[in-house]
Amino acid sequence: MDTASPTQTLLDGADLLIDALKLNGISNLYGLPGIPITDLTRRAQAAGMRMISFRHEQNAGNAAAIAGFLTQKPGVCITVSAPGFLNGLNALANATTNCFPMILISGSSEREIVDLQQGDYEEMDQLAIAKPLAKAAFRVLHIEDLGIGIARAIRAAVSGRPGGVYLDLPAKLFAQTIEADAGKASLIKVVDPAPRQIPAPDAVNRALDLLKNAKRPLIILGKGAAYARADDDIRAFVEKTGIPYLPMSMAKGLLPDTHEQSAAAARSYVLPEADVVMLVGARLNWLLSHGKGKTWGGKSSKAWGGQKYIQVDISPTEADSNVRVDAPVVGDIGSCIAAMLNGVNAAGAGWPKPSGDWLGAIADRKGKNIAKMGETLAKNPTPMNFHSALNVMRDVIKGHPDAMLVNEGANALDFTRSIVDMYKPRKRIDVGTWGVMGIGMGFAVAAAVETNLPVIAVEGDSAFGFSGMEVETICRYNLPVCVVIFNNNGVYKGTDVNASGTADVTPTVFVKDARYEKMMEAFGGVGVYAKTPDELRKAVEEAVRSRKPTLVNAIIDETAGTESGRITSLNPKAAKK
Ligand code: ADP
Ligand code: TPW
């Protein structure tokens, strides 16, 4: 393949990889250069792709993963071998866990050396290591197969249940050449990468029958529903059936959180009381207490509450993962909800609305809880607490419903999720299924790059630290990102003490009154130190208006947090405190 006829130009592996990605509509890359991919990153940029270069691969990987969630196209992250690959692998595993479509492309050492373990520069058997953490993993050894490799990676990432795909590209591949015509002919423009999966009519009817006969039905919308982009049909289904719904964290805004059928403010009432629960793109995992225990009205912590479940999901193996699912509806959410909506429409006036008792009881609880929260939010303590600061963030998002909201932390996460209403789909992106810290700046960069909308990242001070160096990336690309750090001097809070009597502070405590805003100033962005709700409001409003990279260091009462936020149940020691 190294000899070309004199009239033919040659393409090398890097050229062909760029062509293959572009051919498939992938225009943004997230990564970090180094041997053997430095030239690739430069040439991708020269070829018209947007190459966003990060300070750590984990953040580039997280950016790619959320780009996948936001666009339904695989987000692509490019790293160097061994350590760079491992840094990116964390994000790939998180993408797979969250069902985000992503491709991690890592350069690697030559097979001959790796397989004999001869000690190459950054040698590692990356394919073997990636396999258990990825939805699929492939290696391309010959330039003629690059088109196939990219096509397989794209299909694996976005079809069925989306996930993370690893693509191993040994350094030698980048230098291999192929005649331009043959190279172009070897590429594949993937046709219908995420084929619709139509649910079986009997499965749809079984689900509708169950729903129709429910006395206290409930719909739970998950991030799979947000990803599916079936927004209009989901809203029509919820409204035509009149069934109350709960949005999972990243499904907030699929219908506006202020919708009268939202039962979010009565969550602890509806979960144990519902008799039929329809899950749409949401798993019955720990975030829903596995469908068991007191949360669901079960008699003991492991007991099933007796609810019947409908589960709409693209994965045929998801049903029965925790409790019995009486009516699995397997297919893509767009097709499933369209089919179920047809059934509801066909029933017309014959479709039974949920009972007034059920709706009334929910409205009653909601009203009381919202009024109680209103009182808490109206308080204006000094220093600020999570509530008074979030009262500001809630207003800001209300005034800018198109803004993207990134959120991580413990208390900073849990309170933001419950206090800040979302109005539009796919605007809230957060720690997801693992509750992982470190997604913050990667998600913020990708949200800005992919949507060009203003991004507000509400970050615990600990959470921010995992990806904080990317404020330089935000400044370098001049992205409209406003980072708001809820600074309470530590992990969860800043007042724990070291009981041992040694000079070290306790593991959860940070430097007091850290001036995080200076990190943004160091790279030319705007830094603001905000001690009052007014200062916070002014700074965030100005950041959204100006679109300048901004970091607001919002000073929060260091006694304000709870250990582990709202998941103290998983931390028995904290729960007892
Ligand atoms: P949440 O954390 O919001 O509860 P999960 O991540 O637990 O959501 O669940 C998402 C579910 O959505 C997964 O089971 C996944 O298979 C499913 N899913 C993702 N995309 C689609 C789609 N297009 N159609 C149907 N199901 C989907
Ligand atoms: C990769 C454990 C969960 S929440 C958290 C940690 C370290 C930080 C909480 O403090 P923060 O927020 O951000 O200041 P706040 O509002 O409560 O004060 N490592 C990883 N993921 C997780 N989840 C952890 C550790 C953890």
Side-chain angles (χ1 to χ4, degrees):
M1 274 297 148
D2 286 326
T3 49
S5 65
T7 52
Q8 278 270 356
T9 45
L10 289 178
L11 298 177
D12 68 12
D15 291 324
L16 207 59
L17 174 61
I18 293 163
D19 286 349
L21 293 170
K22 285 174 70 177
L23 181 67
N24 283 288
I26 292 168
S27 50
N28 297 329
L29 300 178
Y30 300 90
L32 202 160
I35 296 170
I37 56 140
T38 312
D39 199 40
L40 170 70
T41 59
R42 268 195 297 255
R43 281 155 66 182
Q45 188 174 54
M49 298 185 85
R50 186 136 197 230
M51 171 71 215
I52 305 291
S53 187
F54 281 75
R55 305 298 293 258
H56 190 291
E57 291 90 348
Q58 186 177 318
N59 306 319
N62 283 324
I66 208 67
F69 172 77
L70 293 172
T71 64
Q72 290 185 323
K73 280 193 237 161
V76 176
C77 174
I78 300 207
T79 77
V80 302
S81 26
F85 154 78
L86 285 174
N87 286 345
L89 193 58
N90 185 308
L92 188 77
N94 191 52
T96 306
T97 301
N98 281 281
C99 318
F100 297 155
M102 165 185 177
I103 302 174
L104 174 67
I105 299 180
S106 295
S108 61
S109 297
E110 305 319 333
R111 293 296 330 146
E112 295 81 351
I113 298 179
V114 174
D115 289 349
L116 274 171
Q117 298 171 32
Q118 294 177 306
D120 200 11
Y121 166 73
E122 299 191 346
E123 171 192 305
M124 177 175 274
D125 189 358
Q126 297 166 194
L127 186 68
I129 289 163
K131 260 186 192 157
L133 300 171
K135 185 181 168 196
F138 306 102
R139 171 162 43 230
V140 181
L141 289 174
H142 303 292
I143 193 167
E144 298 84 350
D145 296 328
L146 200 45
I148 298 280
I150 292 290
R152 288 185 66 74
I154 291 172
R155 278 200 191 281
V158 295
S159 62
R161 172 183 276 178
V165 177
Y166 176 61
L167 190 62
D168 194 74
L169 301 184
K172 222 157 48 182
L173 178 79
F174 295 111
Q176 287 177 24
T177 56
I178 189 170
E179 289 187 355
D181 290 350
K184 293 241 148 64
S186 73
L187 299 185
I188 294 175
K189 184 168 166 49
V190 177
V191 176
D192 196 11
R196 285 196 302 154
Q197 297 192 19
I198 315 290
D202 57 331
V204 171
N205 290 335
R206 192 185 297 122
L208 287 173
D209 281 348
L210 195 54
L211 209 54
K212 219 184 290 178
N213 292 312
K215 298 214 161 37
R216 295 178 306 281
L218 175 70
I219 294 172
I220 298 184
L221 302 172
K223 61 168 117 61
Y227 174 77
R229 292 182 175 257
D231 309 341
D232 292 347
D233 274 3
I234 288 174
R235 182 166 186 156
F237 186 82
V238 170
E239 290 181 344
K240 289 209 166 145
T241 59
I243 298 173
Y245 73 95
L246 277 182
M248 298 301 285
S249 189
M250 281 176 57
K252 275 167 70 75
L254 203 42
L255 283 81
D257 280 337
T258 47
H259 196 284
E260 65 163 348
Q261 283 171 255
S262 169
R267 189 177 194 272
S268 60
Y269 173 72
V270 291
L271 292 183
E273 291 296 325
D275 63 346
V276 174
V277 179
M278 174 167 152
L279 300 160
V280 185
R283 288 169 285 186
L284 264 183
N285 55 18
W286 70 281
L287 288 160
L288 285 168
S289 307
H290 306 282
K292 291 180 214 162
K294 303 243 159 77
T295 309
W296 292 91
K299 294 216 169 15
S300 68
S301 63
K302 291 265 184 271
W304 167 47
Q307 286 80 3
K308 290 194 178 305
Y309 287 94
I310 298 164
Q311 185 156 32
V312 180
D313 204 291
I314 202 152
S315 164
T317 56
E318 184 53 39
D320 304 331
S321 56
N322 285 274
V323 297
R324 186 178 71 223
V325 169
D326 292 276
V329 183
V330 175
D332 70 278
I333 285 169
S335 302
C336 293
I337 296 296
M340 291 185 74
L341 185 59
N342 276 343
V344 172
N345 285 337
W351 182 269
K353 287 275 154 132
S355 76
D357 282 357
W358 177 230
L359 298 182
I362 295 172
D364 193 40
R365 257 92 184 169
K366 243 181 96 168
K368 283 187 188 135
N369 289 342
I370 289 174
K372 218 160 97 194
M373 179 60 87
E375 282 171 27
T376 313
L377 292 178
K379 289 184 188 146
N380 191 0
T382 309
M384 286 191 283
N385 60 14
F386 287 99
H387 290 87
S388 62
L390 283 168
N391 190 36
V392 171
M393 301 314 299
R394 175 185 159 102
D395 288 350
V396 171
I397 294 290
K398 188 173 182 187
H400 304 280
D402 281 314
M404 299 293 302
L405 179 66
V406 177
N407 190 201
E408 62 177 338
N411 298 277
L413 175 89
D414 294 340
F415 286 126
T416 305
R417 187 178 51 221
S418 59
I419 292 171
V420 176
D421 289 330
M422 304 307 295
Y423 300 86
K424 298 197 172 176
R426 293 170 295 282
K427 298 293 180 194
R428 190 190 148 86
I429 47 184
D430 66 27
V431 300
T433 305
W434 266 348
V436 63
M437 298 300 111
I439 48 86
M441 298 304 101
F443 277 18
V445 168
V449 167
E450 300 291 337
T451 71
N452 200 28
L453 294 166
V455 179
I456 299 170
V458 175
E459 301 272 317
D461 48 339
S462 163
F464 171 72
F466 287 73
S467 64
M469 191 62 208
E470 304 299 344
V471 294
E472 190 275 331
T473 310
I474 291 167
C475 288
R476 185 163 17 108
Y477 294 100
N478 196 23
L479 298 173
V481 174
C482 175
V483 182
V484 180
I485 298 184
F486 280 9
N487 184 1
N488 61 353
N489 294 343
V491 180
Y492 311 129
K493 57 182 176 173
T495 49
D496 279 359
V497 287
N498 171 359
S500 78
T502 57
D504 290 349
V505 293
T506 197
T508 53
V509 164
F510 294 160
V511 165
K512 303 271 182 209
D513 201 26
R515 302 302 295 259
Y516 291 103
E517 75 282 7
K518 292 186 191 293
M519 287 176 68
M520 191 59 105
E521 288 170 358
F523 303 108
V526 177
V528 182
Y529 182 79
K531 283 188 98 160
T532 66
D534 284 348
E535 288 165 2
L536 175 60
R537 189 183 304 270
K538 206 168 139 243
V540 181
E541 286 288 359
E542 176 56 20
V544 172
R545 194 201 59 72
S546 72
R547 294 174 63 93
K548 283 193 190 141
T550 301
L551 192 154
V552 186
N553 185 4
I555 307 305
I556 303 288
D557 183 353
E558 65 174 1
T559 66
T562 304
E563 182 165 327
S564 302
R566 294 252 173 109
I567 51 172
T568 47
S569 57
L570 301 180
N571 181 355
K573 271 231 156 117
K576 272 197 214 115
K577 273 193 197 160

